[in-house]
Amino acid sequence: MVSRKYIVGNWKMNGLRDQLTNIAEIAKVADEYQAVDVAICPPVTLIAQAVTNFPGFAIGAQDCHFAKSGAHTGCLSADMIREAGASMAILGHSERRADQHETDAEVKSKAEAAHNAGLGVIICVGESEEERDAGKAVEVVCGQLEGSFPDGANVDWLTVAYEPVWAIGTGRVPKAADVEEMHAAIRNALRNLMGERAGGVRILYGGSMNGGNASELLSIPNVDGGLVGGASLTAEKFGPIIEAAAAF
Ligand code: PGA
């Protein structure tokens, strides 16, 4: 059983050095709510500085390469991310699946590389609006999960994030019943992949989560936290989500 909520901020391609003060403020809020696990995934350029400035506060990356090293111009290996001080990485975000054409097989390799480097991983899955309208959402999401699932995955390093693509950055969130159905389906798929240990894997919801809807979303069965984009950039917006999670 999952006992602690996990709230993760995905800064995407936002944040220059000036915004380190936002992480300072977020870390302060997180400190007030010890019952919740909180992390921020800033751009890679801020990781080392954030880790130095805010010891004890979890900083993650938004991607890593699957190879250990080699001729991959512009890419970063999991060891590099780990050495910079990150403790985990978001992998297979729908923006990367779309913009960088990442496949399930690549996400699986990245997750294995990240784990081998000592990083926790958050594997993202989610359907498009067309797929939902066609009644295929559960099938698509569970298929992505099976294809992206790393060998040897365990509860102490694997987290799954369900992020309907059409809810990301749009202000639209699915009906509670649809979130409940999907998270139960993901739990079930995890059970098929890893047996009873699946009960301890945290399944986050992501897509337009904010201070106004966090309580309701986090109260849905099998919603063990949130992966938050836009509302994670400042303590003013992210703080109320952390506070909402602490109430469970
Ligand atoms: P959003 O992004 O909260 O801005 O919708 C969530 C995400 O993409 O992780």
Side-chain angles (χ1 to χ4, degrees):
M1 272 300 286
V2 172
S3 54
R4 292 171 64 85
K5 298 275 195 212
Y6 190 20
I7 304 293
V8 180
N10 171 14
W11 276 20
K12 311 192 179 186
M13 201 171 72
N14 297 290
L16 296 170
R17 228 172 338 182
D18 275 356
Q19 274 80 53
L20 283 167
T21 54
N22 299 22
I23 301 184
E25 288 165 14
I26 289 166
K28 224 169 113 199
V29 177
D31 206 42
E32 286 169 39
Y33 296 101
Q34 294 284 337
V36 183
D37 292 329
V38 180
I40 290 286
C41 300
V44 136
T45 45
L46 295 183
I47 290 177
Q49 196 62 57
V51 169
T52 305
N53 289 9
F54 319 116
F57 182 68
I59 297 292
Q62 301 168 18
D63 179 46
C64 71
H65 200 275
F66 50 78
K68 243 189 133 40
S69 61
H72 302 288
T73 302
C75 298
L76 294 163
S77 73
D79 284 330
M80 293 169 186
I81 302 280
R82 182 77 192 101
E83 190 179 62
S87 53
M88 55 87 171
I90 298 169
L91 299 172
H93 191 281
S94 62
E95 285 153 15
R96 295 197 57 86
R97 289 179 186 263
D99 298 354
Q100 276 76 33
H101 313 291
E102 277 185 13
T103 63
D104 289 338
E106 278 166 345
V107 176
K108 171 181 157 78
S109 301
K110 286 176 179 220
E112 289 163 0
H115 169 61
N116 289 336
L119 296 167
V121 307
I122 299 177
I123 292 182
C124 304
V125 291
E127 83 285 359
S128 67
E129 187 155 31
E130 297 70 46
E131 289 162 342
R132 174 153 294 273
D133 289 347
K136 293 190 172 145
V138 167
E139 180 192 329
V140 165
V141 166
C142 291
Q144 281 178 347
L145 180 62
E146 280 153 27
S148 311
F149 192 78
D151 285 344
N154 212 342
V155 289
D156 53 359
W157 59 273
L158 176 73
T159 299
V160 175
Y162 166 56
E163 300 202 301
V165 176
W166 51 274
I168 295 176
T170 58
R172 295 167 59 202
V173 292
K175 292 196 274 294
D178 290 341
V179 175
E180 182 168 352
E181 178 194 31
M182 186 62 82
H183 279 240
I186 291 172
R187 182 77 67 203
N188 207 34
L190 286 170
R191 255 192 210 107
N192 292 336
L193 290 161
M194 61 195 297
E196 281 313 306
R197 290 171 304 151
V201 174
R202 288 189 284 200
I203 307 172
L204 314 184
Y205 168 80
S208 298
M209 184 182 273
N210 59 43
N213 61 25
S215 275
E216 190 192 349
L217 286 163
L218 293 168
S219 72
I220 298 170
N222 288 303
V223 176
D224 307 309
L227 181 54
V228 185
S232 72
L233 294 170
T234 62
E236 195 189 353
K237 291 188 170 160
F238 201 43
I241 300 176
I242 298 169
E243 192 184 337
F248 290 93

